[in-house]
Amino acid sequence: MIRIKNQAQIEGIRRSCDLLSRLFAHLKPLVVPGARLLDLDASARDYIVERGGRPAFLGYEGFPGTLCLSVNEMVIHGIPDERILREGDIVGIDCGIDLDGYYSDAAVTLPVGKVSQEARRLMAATRECLDLAIEAVKPGARIHDIARAVFSRATREGYGVVRQYCGHGVGLEIHEDPQIPNYVSSGPNPRLLPGMVIALEPMVNAGGPDVKVLDDDWTVVTMDGSLSAHYEHTVLVTQEGREVLTSWTF
């Protein structure tokens, strides 16, 4: 069931999204060569809790971290561990916050020091996929309009678009209907209505689209070992178009 949020709920979701946006600004300068993933995760957890929030991912279906930290060939759901970031890595940071029962969700892929031209091209293209997905959001548009915008942009570069995972509704729970794939599928294609809150999240691989889950039952990696990038915003459908509720200051 797709939930249409009322004004009070939208204000609660907006506050949650504001806290999440400030968290990303807090984390950005910490993503440097030599940073340990567990330390990034602990910093995020403390930042959220100290401001009255709850890490939405921590404990969700058993996930052990506040952040999903996905390095290089990891697509999503990377578990924070003892790994040390190295010059040239790229790291996807995905986080959700529950603030007074209202949920936000966003992700960004960041360079660690100086990265390759291949990595920069992939990140730029994936971020543009998210921008185009957002532009497709307006009352009366359909889910497939979003999917087509992402798929067309990514495949124009020869990149692989991940099919097994997708965007989703958000706001009163961390995952709600509708599912929002990044390719045009034969699945449901509902219209967007004012009051819907959705998380748009292109996941794009430098190589092929195929992925696999590692033995930890969480970490998703590219099948061919190629780099992957992931960007996500929480977006409100308005009467006039859309409002992007999460933001980055970088």
Side-chain angles (χ1 to χ4, degrees):
M1 180 183 70
I2 297 174
R3 296 175 173 178
I4 303 299
K5 279 69 175 183
N6 61 37
Q7 194 57 45
Q9 292 167 336
I10 290 169
E11 288 304 316
I13 296 166
R14 186 177 282 117
R15 289 192 297 272
S16 181
C17 288
D18 177 67
L19 177 56
L20 182 54
S21 300
R22 288 185 281 125
L23 171 67
F24 278 106
H26 165 77
L27 290 173
K28 172 64 166 60
L30 305 181
V31 178
V32 295
R36 189 176 68 142
L37 297 189
L38 275 173
D39 293 335
L40 293 175
D41 192 70
S43 182
R45 182 176 64 251
D46 291 346
Y47 188 94
I48 294 167
V49 172
E50 288 169 3
R51 288 157 181 79
R54 182 184 69 83
F57 294 175
L58 184 60
Y60 180 76
E61 296 186 355
F63 188 76
T66 291
L67 304 174
C68 294
L69 293 171
S70 305
V71 182
N72 295 335
E73 76 282 0
M74 297 179 187
V75 180
I76 50 172
H77 302 164
I79 296 175
D81 58 15
E82 296 285 352
R83 180 171 182 154
I84 303 297
L85 292 175
R86 299 180 300 176
E87 183 91 12
D89 286 340
I90 62 173
V91 56
I93 303 176
D94 190 359
C95 187
I97 293 178
D98 168 9
L99 183 64
D100 301 323
Y102 298 106
Y103 289 83
S104 53
D105 194 1
V108 65
T109 299
L110 295 176
V112 182
K114 185 177 181 180
V115 301
S116 67
Q117 182 178 2
E118 176 193 19
R120 292 196 302 271
R121 285 184 60 244
L122 174 66
M123 290 189 294
T126 308
R127 187 162 180 169
E128 186 176 345
C129 284
L130 177 57
D131 291 341
L132 293 171
I134 291 167
E135 288 179 13
V137 174
K138 58 184 178 180
R142 291 189 179 272
I143 295 299
H144 286 182
D145 297 325
I146 298 171
R148 187 175 297 106
V150 172
F151 189 80
S152 297
R153 175 64 183 89
T155 55
R156 190 163 72 241
E157 297 282 347
Y159 292 145
V161 176
V162 175
R163 293 176 176 242
Q164 292 91 327
Y165 303 91
C166 62
H168 51 88
V170 68
L172 305 182
E173 297 180 43
I174 194 60
H175 289 116
E176 302 177 9
D177 291 333
Q179 294 192 47
I180 306 173
N182 294 306
Y183 68 100
V184 178
S185 71
S186 59
N189 187 26
R191 290 193 184 278
L192 301 177
L193 300 173
M196 290 174 63
V197 181
I198 52 180
L200 306 180
E201 50 179 324
M203 290 156 268
V204 178
N205 302 338
D210 295 331
V211 300
K212 63 181 178 180
V213 181
L214 298 184
D215 290 342
D216 62 19
D217 290 330
W218 280 106
T219 307
V220 179
V221 300
T222 57
M223 190 74 76
D224 57 13
S226 63
L227 294 176
S228 187
H230 175 209
Y231 291 82
E232 178 182 18
H233 272 317
T234 295
V235 180
L236 167 69
V237 184
T238 67
Q239 294 286 349
E240 297 78 23
R242 89 288 299 170
E243 178 185 350
V244 182
L245 299 179
T246 46
S247 67
W248 309 310
T249 57
F250 45 86

